[in-house]
Amino acid sequence: MALNHLDGPLRGRADAALAAVVEQLDARLDADPDLSFQVAAYVHGDLVLDAWGGPHLGEDSLIVPYSVSKNSIAFSVALLVQQGRL
C-alpha cells in the first residue's frame, strides 16, 4: 500500500482513502497556531497514517502520553470477553 506524502499543515504520509481525515486535521492546525500533535493509524497491521503537525513537534519528536492506561485495560478486557476468556 503506497502512502501519499502530506505537504500541508499536516506533514507525513497517509493513504488516499483518508483524505477527509487529513483535511480535518489540516483545518484544526490552521484554526489553532499553537496546536501540535502526532498521529499514526494501522489497518490490519498495515500503516495507513503517519503524520504530525504544529510548531512544537517534528517527525522524530518524542512525547509523553497521559491517561492511557484506562484505554489499554478496556481494550484488553474487551478482547478477553470476545475470546470467551473473561
Side-chain angles (χ1 to χ4, degrees), residues 8-76:
L10 189 67
R11 312 293 290 172
R13 303 174 297 148
D15 186 277
L18 297 175
V21 172
V22 169
E23 287 177 22
Q24 286 293 319
L25 295 173
D26 277 338
R28 299 213 190 288
L29 288 167
D30 283 338
D32 185 350
D34 198 43
L35 177 66
S36 295
F37 61 85
Q38 294 171 318
V39 61
Y42 291 82
V43 173
H44 302 294
D46 294 323
L47 181 67
V48 294
L49 177 65
D50 179 18
W52 61 93
H56 308 294
L57 293 174
E59 179 177 10
D60 295 325
S61 296
L62 297 177
I63 59 172
V64 178
Y66 291 95
S67 192
V68 296
S69 61
K70 292 180 285 289
N71 295 331
S72 300
I73 291 169
F75 284 127
S76 298

